[in-house]
Amino acid sequence: MKPYALFTTEERRKEYAELREKYQKFQALKLNLNMARGKPGMEQLDLVSDMLAILIDYGNYVIDGIDVRNYGELSGLPAAKRLFAEILGTQPEEIFVAGNASLQLMYDLISKAHTHGLLHSERPWCKEEKIKFLCPSPGYDRHFKICETFGMEMITIAMTPDGPDMDTVEEAIKDPTVKGMWCVPKYSNPDGIIYSDGVIDRIAAMKPAAPDFALMWDNAYCVHEFEGEFVPFRDMLSLCRAQGNADMVYEFASTSKITYPGAGVGVMAASVANQKYIASLVTYQTIGFDKINHLRHVCFLKNKAHTLELMQRHAEILKPKFHAVLDSLKNEIEPLKIAQWTQPKGGYFVSVNSMPGTAKRIVALMKDAGVILTGAGATFPYGIDPNDSNIRIAPTLPPVEELKQAMEVFCICMRMAALEQLGIE
Amino acid sequence: MKPYALFTTEERRKEYAELREKYQKFQALKLNLNMARGKPGMEQLDLVSDMLAILIDYGNYVIDGIDVRNYGELSGLPAAKRLFAEILGTQPEEIFVAGNASLQLMYDLISKAHTHGLLHSERPWCKEEKIKFLCPSPGYDRHFKICETFGMEMITIAMTPDGPDMDTVEEAIKDPTVKGMWCVPKYSNPDGIIYSDGVIDRIAAMKPAAPDFALMWDNAYCVHEFEGEFVPFRDMLSLCRAQGNADMVYEFASTSKITYPGAGVGVMAASVANQKYIASLVTYQTIGFDKINHLRHVCFLKNKAHTLELMQRHAEILKPKFHAVLDSLKNEIEPLKIAQWTQPKGGYFVSVNSMPGTAKRIVALMKDAGVILTGAGATFPYGIDPNDSNIRIAPTLPPVEELKQAMEVFCICMRMAALEQLGIE
């Protein structure tokens, strides 16, 4: 095997014909595989089944004098606040424990910014002519979709191996209509990189022109190593506070990939002033969230050390899956020099940059072979990848054997698309 | 005992002095009772404890081919839709099963009306000069608070023993800025009345000038009899559809007072067209709600008949509490002709209309004796009861013995306030 760039047209044609034959054989298998979303696999779900029974010991319902079965405690069960404060390295009074997902907390914060404004807003965002948001890309499609549904203008910020390109960010925030920025600081979605200390310090020190700039710090994968030891992360609330930016940051986390996706607990960490302001708005929305589920999590996860032990058990399940992806890419693609990809040690994705102009084609070929990938472009604002190159691979749901098969097809599709791009006529 | 109106000043003075002595004895007891909110009592919470263990039988997690432990099913678990469709008398495809409370569904619908508009809106409500909302009063304070937080102008509609005064409603909806109306059709909060068929038919037949008029049909107490047999209710979706108003109504219900307050399931019933539109907005907000809790409810409640059986067991707990309130009023207050009150057979409240001008005083006296009531005025828009008369009594939380004590104090306070109003100087 040699790089495709060195292939003659004749060699490309021959290679393509062979690949097409293999591809057609896979098509005949009528596969039905899904690598589109960061969905935990069945084994991971089974890992936490004990949680469902953890409250059956009657009399366990009162904690800190609060009967978790009745109404109340708008901002969450105090014991749950202590648990997540320990995990995130913040203070309990900086924690809001809500419903089943952090996505909803993010959406609701942006929604309230539009209807009521944030703590330092001059007016609700819906009364502003224009709202712009910084979107480090490739990034999480659901972040971008929130911007889209609220009609915000998204500004693409390039990702570097250290995090967002801060030169561009620091320039962009001089515009007072730039109201916020999405960040996934640890095991970024999809690249799986960890923001460097330098980048984090520069983010914490930002002085945006907008007084109500919202740093959306989505710490979705804060304890989600699948390889190696737990990597400590810095408390962004303290860092921002030290820079006089205490109210700029809203940190999000959830147990969706610790306990149950959809039946976990979503958390927002923010300054006490922000917590107070947000509670003053949320009090019209709900009497309180599911404290029984809060207590279930407190009893099951216990504390940070115990949570990290659980994450190691998730890692044992996930590591072979990620290796199946990475090994396949290394063996089948690397020698051909037609793509680059990240080598994450945590998070839920492998980010592949195929030959420019081929991502859409690859996803379409995969679909015709029965394997669903995240849509090409989804990792960029408005779903448009300027290079048509980035593909997000989510290897967590399928069992390893199926995953290996899916990756075989994937490598064939990548090669076919690259050859088409290089020319086979 | 004779009506206070027939008392001479001298008699009033004597009576007041005696009452004050009794009041001071209660003050010395340093009571700490709460009748402010419709909170279930401890016995009711214990009634449903089996639900917490119902899913521990491993392998129970897949229903209709859906693993409830993983992401997905934006509009709720199909089996839960079937359950609530049967209870509400609608079709499963008209049901949206969400998080832990219906209040949040109501808030979110109004919030989305503001940020995006409803199905038939010409523009988002935040782009309108003014939004008005019809508020039958006395009503539920949290409904009114939603109007308040979104800056809507509330129009008070008088309640009759049959429901809202429809002559006024039919006139009011000619104004295109009138965008909706709150209704609690069965065991209304706080009056506990059931809307008559005549009123319901007139509501279903409304032709509001606003194309996106939202009939907020809060069926909070749809199966919540505490006395007598289950009283069937009509399906408002069908009634509106028959009148060509299929998309006007949004019906809300929850299991907050069937299973757990705060850990139940909230439901919104609406036309298929509304469901489709709402899902197109909610898809940016969440990947899905807590389907494990949906399944827990499906397994525990089973069907309508079984749910009604459970409600009879709640009734056994609640009936003596309501009777303690009603007996006390009948014995202590009725002969004095200083107040009227409702005699509900379901719901969570007794609505007392004290002598005009005394409600605030009564609530203050109660507070000084250690008993918290719903704030006077809370049952009216902007918290202002024009007659300062309506007091909502929530008898469900305290045990019967405490409740009897609280009612003793209440009757004393009502009598003192009435005498003060009639004059004791």
Side-chain angles (χ1 to χ4, degrees):
Chain A
M1 278 163 99
K2 62 181 177 183
Y4 272 179
L6 306 180
F7 274 42
T8 64
T9 309
E10 192 47 45
E11 284 173 325
R12 288 201 297 271
R13 266 185 215 143
K14 185 164 168 285
E15 174 92 347
Y16 191 79
E18 285 172 20
L19 287 167
R20 186 150 65 179
E21 203 171 316
K22 287 186 191 168
Y23 177 75
Q24 283 161 347
K25 276 183 191 157
F26 272 109
Q27 277 188 310
L29 293 179
K30 299 205 179 299
L31 299 176
N32 182 16
L33 304 175
N34 196 316
M35 299 199 297
R37 310 289 332 173
K39 254 179 140 168
M42 181 83 82
E43 278 176 277
Q44 288 177 273
L45 302 176
D46 288 341
L47 201 58
V48 293
S49 296
D50 287 350
M51 192 170 75
L52 294 179
I54 211 156
L55 294 183
I56 60 169
D57 174 22
Y58 296 88
N60 241 354
Y61 308 132
V62 176
I63 182 162
D64 298 327
I66 296 159
D67 190 324
V68 298
R69 301 170 301 171
N70 221 328
Y71 286 120
E73 303 303 316
L74 183 65
S75 57
L77 191 68
K81 293 186 189 189
R82 293 194 295 270
L83 170 66
F84 291 109
E86 193 209 348
I87 291 174
L88 292 176
T90 69
Q91 299 305 309
E93 60 270 23
E94 293 169 327
I95 296 281
F96 185 93
V97 192
N100 71 326
S102 56
L103 182 65
Q104 201 164 349
L105 278 168
M106 296 178 221
Y107 178 98
D108 281 356
L109 188 77
I110 299 293
S111 181
K112 285 190 171 53
H114 277 81
T115 55
H116 293 79
L118 298 177
L119 178 60
H120 298 296
S121 294
E122 283 155 355
R123 60 190 76 83
W125 291 7
C126 72
K127 302 290 183 200
E128 302 279 3
E129 289 270 313
K130 190 182 266 296
I131 300 285
K132 297 180 192 160
F133 230 77
L134 305 185
C135 300
S137 303
Y140 181 28
D141 56 344
R142 290 186 186 271
H143 290 163
F144 303 159
K145 288 284 180 189
I146 290 177
C147 288
E148 219 174 304
T149 190
F150 284 100
M152 308 198 281
E153 184 182 322
M154 290 181 265
I155 298 173
T156 302
I157 302 292
M159 281 292 283
T160 77
D162 282 335
D165 167 15
M166 286 308 295
D167 292 342
T168 314
V169 168
E170 283 160 358
E171 193 55 36
I173 60 173
K174 293 176 183 168
D175 175 353
T177 70
V178 170
K179 290 286 197 183
M181 174 174 172
W182 294 108
C183 291
V184 182
K186 190 173 166 185
Y187 304 126
S188 66
N189 180 348
D191 287 341
I193 67 135
I194 300 180
Y195 289 15
S196 71
D197 282 356
V199 163
I200 289 177
D201 286 333
R202 281 174 78 177
I203 293 175
M206 291 190 301
K207 296 289 173 202
D212 53 352
F213 185 95
L215 176 62
M216 303 292 281
W217 197 252
D218 185 1
N219 211 344
Y221 308 106
C222 53
V223 292
H224 298 62
E225 281 72 23
F226 60 76
E227 182 147 20
E229 295 284 295
F230 167 67
V231 178
F233 55 91
R234 298 159 82 199
D235 169 30
M236 197 57 171
L237 270 63
S238 309
L239 295 175
C240 286
R241 196 188 307 121
Q243 296 284 351
N245 286 332
D247 302 334
M248 179 174 73
V249 59
Y250 304 87
E251 180 176 14
F252 301 91
S254 83
T255 68
S256 295
K257 294 171 180 86
I258 299 174
T259 59
Y260 288 118
V265 169
V267 171
M268 178 173 65
S271 72
V272 172
N274 272 331
Q275 292 288 355
K276 209 172 145 184
Y277 175 73
I278 288 159
S280 78
L281 299 180
V282 174
T283 189
Y284 298 107
Q285 186 173 15
T286 184
I287 304 170
F289 295 92
D290 185 346
K291 293 191 302 297
I292 291 184
N293 207 31
H294 292 180
L295 182 58
R296 223 177 252 124
H297 278 76
V298 168
C299 293
F300 185 70
L301 295 178
K302 292 187 175 79
N303 52 44
K304 183 177 176 180
H306 192 257
T307 304
L308 291 178
E309 280 170 34
L310 172 62
M311 295 315 289
Q312 283 301 317
R313 298 180 62 200
H314 280 290
E316 285 163 25
I317 297 165
L318 292 176
K319 188 175 168 180
K321 296 188 179 187
F322 277 87
H323 278 273
V325 170
L326 294 170
D327 290 352
S328 173
L329 290 169
K330 189 178 169 63
N331 298 334
E332 302 294 321
I333 302 296
E334 195 172 76
L336 310 177
K337 308 283 179 212
I338 54 170
Q340 298 82 42
W341 52 91
T342 54
Q343 303 268 358
K345 307 233 162 180
Y348 262 61
F349 305 104
V350 173
S351 179
V352 178
N353 286 313
S354 64
M355 186 179 290
T358 63
K360 279 206 179 94
R361 174 68 177 149
I362 293 165
V363 172
L365 281 168
M366 288 292 276
K367 194 181 168 200
D368 286 342
V371 186
I372 304 299
L373 292 178
T374 310
T379 54
F380 283 80
Y382 308 105
I384 300 166
D385 173 1
N387 297 321
D388 186 26
S389 165
N390 189 248
I391 296 174
R392 183 181 82 162
I393 295 185
T396 54
L397 184 63
V400 174
E401 284 317 306
E402 288 185 14
L403 192 63
K404 284 183 177 164
Q405 205 171 29
M407 284 306 296
E408 264 191 81
V409 195
F410 182 68
C411 292
I412 290 169
C413 293
M414 279 191 90
R415 291 166 68 179
M416 285 172 70
L419 290 166
E420 288 170 7
Q421 186 77 353
L422 290 166
I424 45 172
E425 303 298 329
Chain B
M1 280 164 97
K2 61 181 178 185
Y4 272 179
L6 305 180
F7 275 41
T8 63
T9 308
E10 190 47 46
E11 284 172 327
R12 289 200 296 269
R13 265 186 214 142
K14 186 165 168 286
E15 174 91 348
Y16 191 80
E18 285 171 21
L19 288 166
R20 185 148 66 180
E21 203 171 312
K22 287 186 191 168
Y23 178 76
Q24 283 162 347
K25 276 184 190 157
F26 272 110
Q27 278 189 310
L29 293 178
K30 298 203 180 300
L31 299 175
N32 182 15
L33 304 176
N34 196 314
M35 299 200 296
R37 307 292 329 176
K39 253 177 141 167
M42 182 82 83
E43 278 176 275
Q44 288 175 273
L45 302 175
D46 288 341
L47 201 57
V48 293
S49 295
D50 286 349
M51 191 170 76
L52 294 179
I54 210 154
L55 294 184
I56 58 169
D57 173 22
Y58 294 87
N60 241 354
Y61 308 133
V62 177
I63 183 163
D64 299 326
I66 297 160
D67 191 324
V68 300
R69 301 169 302 171
N70 220 329
Y71 286 120
E73 303 303 316
L74 182 65
S75 56
L77 192 67
K81 292 186 189 190
R82 293 194 295 269
L83 169 67
F84 291 109
E86 194 210 347
I87 291 174
L88 293 176
T90 69
Q91 300 304 309
E93 60 271 24
E94 294 169 327
I95 297 281
F96 186 95
V97 192
N100 71 327
S102 55
L103 183 66
Q104 201 164 347
L105 278 168
M106 296 179 223
Y107 178 99
D108 281 356
L109 187 76
I110 299 292
S111 181
K112 286 191 170 53
H114 277 81
T115 55
H116 292 80
L118 298 177
L119 177 60
H120 298 296
S121 295
E122 283 155 355
R123 60 191 76 85
W125 292 6
C126 71
K127 300 292 182 197
E128 302 280 1
E129 288 270 312
K130 188 181 266 299
I131 300 284
K132 297 180 193 160
F133 230 76
L134 305 186
C135 299
S137 304
Y140 181 31
D141 57 343
R142 290 187 186 272
H143 289 164
F144 304 159
K145 288 284 182 191
I146 290 176
C147 288
E148 219 173 305
T149 191
F150 284 100
M152 308 199 278
E153 184 182 320
M154 289 181 263
I155 298 174
T156 302
I157 302 291
M159 281 292 281
T160 76
D162 282 333
D165 167 15
M166 286 308 296
D167 292 341
T168 315
V169 168
E170 283 161 356
E171 193 55 37
I173 60 174
K174 292 176 183 168
D175 175 353
T177 69
V178 170
K179 290 285 197 185
M181 174 174 172
W182 294 107
C183 292
V184 182
K186 190 174 167 185
Y187 305 127
S188 65
N189 179 349
D191 287 341
I193 66 136
I194 300 181
Y195 288 14
S196 71
D197 282 357
V199 163
I200 290 178
D201 286 332
R202 281 174 78 177
I203 294 174
M206 290 190 303
K207 296 292 170 197
D212 53 352
F213 186 94
L215 176 62
M216 303 291 281
W217 198 251
D218 185 0
N219 211 346
Y221 308 106
C222 53
V223 292
H224 298 63
E225 280 73 23
F226 59 76
E227 183 148 19
E229 294 285 293
F230 167 66
V231 178
F233 56 90
R234 298 159 82 200
D235 169 30
M236 197 56 170
L237 270 63
S238 308
L239 295 176
C240 286
R241 195 187 308 121
Q243 296 284 352
N245 286 332
D247 302 335
M248 179 175 74
V249 58
Y250 303 87
E251 180 176 13
F252 301 91
S254 83
T255 68
S256 295
K257 294 171 180 86
I258 300 174
T259 59
Y260 287 118
V265 169
V267 171
M268 179 172 64
S271 71
V272 171
N274 272 330
Q275 292 290 355
K276 208 172 146 185
Y277 175 73
I278 289 159
S280 78
L281 299 180
V282 173
T283 190
Y284 299 108
Q285 185 173 15
T286 183
I287 304 170
F289 294 93
D290 184 345
K291 292 190 302 299
I292 291 184
N293 207 30
H294 292 181
L295 182 59
R296 223 177 251 126
H297 278 76
V298 168
C299 294
F300 185 69
L301 296 177
K302 293 188 174 78
N303 53 43
K304 183 176 176 182
H306 192 256
T307 304
L308 291 178
E309 280 170 35
L310 172 62
M311 294 316 287
Q312 283 300 316
R313 297 178 65 198
H314 279 289
E316 285 162 25
I317 298 166
L318 292 177
K319 189 175 166 181
K321 296 189 179 186
F322 277 87
H323 277 274
V325 171
L326 294 169
D327 291 352
S328 174
L329 290 171
K330 189 179 170 59
N331 298 334
E332 302 293 322
I333 302 297
E334 193 173 77
L336 310 176
K337 308 284 179 213
I338 55 170
Q340 297 81 43
W341 52 91
T342 54
Q343 303 269 358
K345 305 233 164 182
Y348 262 62
F349 305 104
V350 173
S351 179
V352 177
N353 286 312
S354 64
M355 186 180 288
T358 63
K360 278 207 177 93
R361 174 67 176 149
I362 293 165
V363 171
L365 280 168
M366 288 292 278
K367 194 182 169 197
D368 287 343
V371 187
I372 303 299
L373 293 178
T374 310
T379 54
F380 283 80
Y382 308 106
I384 299 166
D385 173 1
N387 296 319
D388 186 26
S389 165
N390 189 249
I391 296 173
R392 185 181 80 163
I393 296 185
T396 54
L397 183 63
V400 175
E401 284 317 305
E402 288 185 14
L403 192 64
K404 284 183 177 164
Q405 206 172 28
M407 283 308 295
E408 265 192 82
V409 195
F410 182 68
C411 292
I412 290 168
C413 293
M414 278 191 93
R415 292 165 68 178
M416 286 172 69
L419 291 165
E420 289 170 6
Q421 186 77 353
L422 291 165
I424 44 170
E425 304 297 329

